[in-house]
């Protein structure tokens, strides 16, 4: 038999957990508004111009790129170009439909890097999600066009 003290303690713990989960859910709701620009407060990171590499970087929700016919398709092509051979070398192989679906499921976000001609040259696929009792950001993919390289370590440095 559970004592009244233990039952009360468990009830309090459950109440605290639900409060943490509610707070995390509120954060996720704010983060996953499709037209939100998460780069608004990161202005210095919207441009990268160093060592003959000139990029603009934007943060977009899938809803913003699904119909433009270019950005999402280029993201997929970069992913396939970077990863298809790796998947094909494994027993489960590459499945185009599954990969496209993964890029679209449950509030997907992308950091998209474009060169001075407006061509998408790199991307990061991430999601604001919920893990146990906390809001988290999961990075699922990072890809760049074959042959396109720049120093990721210096990307975070700005003058």
């Amino acid at each position: 038999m559970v004592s009244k003290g233990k039952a009360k303690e468990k009830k309090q713990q459950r109440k605290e957990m639900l409060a943490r989960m509610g707070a995390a859910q509120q954060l996720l709701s704010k983060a996953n508004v499709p037209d939100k620009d998460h780069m608004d407060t990161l202005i210095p990171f919207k441009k990268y111009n160093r060592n003959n590499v000139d990029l603009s970087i934007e943060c977009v929700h899938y809803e913003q790129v699904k119909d433009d016919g270019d950005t999402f398709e280029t993201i997929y092509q970069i992913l396939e170009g970077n990863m298809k051979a790796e998947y094909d070398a494994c027993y489960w192989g590459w499945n185009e439909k599954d990969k496209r679906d993964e890029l679209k499921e449950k509030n997907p976000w992308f950091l998209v890097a474009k060169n001075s001609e407006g061509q998408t040259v790199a991307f990061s696929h991430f999601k604001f999600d919920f893990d146990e009792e906390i809001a988290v950001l999961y990075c699922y993919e990072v890809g760049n066009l074959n042959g396109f390289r720049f120093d990721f370590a210096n990307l975070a440095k700005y003058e």
Side-chain angles (χ1 to χ4, degrees), residues 48 50-51 151-158:
Y48 178 89
R50 212 175 261 123
N51 301 326
D151 186 354
F152 279 99
N154 286 321
L155 183 60
K157 297 177 184 175
Y158 62 92

Side-chain angles (χ1 to χ4, degrees), residues 24-140:
Q25 190 58 52
Q26 284 181 341
L27 286 173
L28 291 177
S29 294
K30 288 179 185 177
N32 281 316
V33 174
D35 60 352
K36 182 173 179 71
D37 182 359
H38 291 288
M39 299 285 289
D40 268 352
T41 59
L42 303 169
I43 302 301
F45 296 99
K46 286 185 163 189
K47 293 293 280 173
Y48 178 89
N49 191 337
R50 212 175 261 123
N51 301 326
N52 296 319
V53 177
D54 184 13
L55 300 174
S56 63
I57 301 169
E58 60 184 349
C59 180
V60 293
H61 190 274
Y62 170 70
E63 292 296 320
Q64 295 169 291
V65 297
K66 70 178 181 179
D67 296 325
D68 78 3
D70 181 45
T71 304
F72 182 78
E73 187 58 31
T74 303
I75 287 170
Y76 174 78
Q77 294 298 323
I78 291 171
L79 174 63
E80 183 179 50
N82 282 251
M83 298 304 297
K84 186 176 186 302
E86 300 295 325
Y87 277 78
D88 284 343
C90 297
Y91 71 90
W92 59 78
W94 180 264
N95 183 309
E96 179 177 344
K97 181 185 179 319
D98 288 350
K99 279 293 158 198
R100 286 182 181 275
D101 289 347
E102 285 175 20
L103 288 172
K104 300 174 188 177
E105 67 186 19
K106 195 180 177 198
N107 283 316
W109 288 89
F110 302 94
L111 283 177
V112 179
K114 294 185 178 190
N115 64 17
S116 56
E117 290 82 40
Q119 177 190 23
T120 299
V121 296
F123 77 94
S124 173
H125 169 220
F126 66 96
K127 296 178 187 178
F128 298 103
D129 212 341
F130 194 68
D131 191 357
E132 297 188 23
E133 301 171 15
I134 57 173
V136 295
L137 184 144
Y138 283 121
C139 180
Y140 287 91

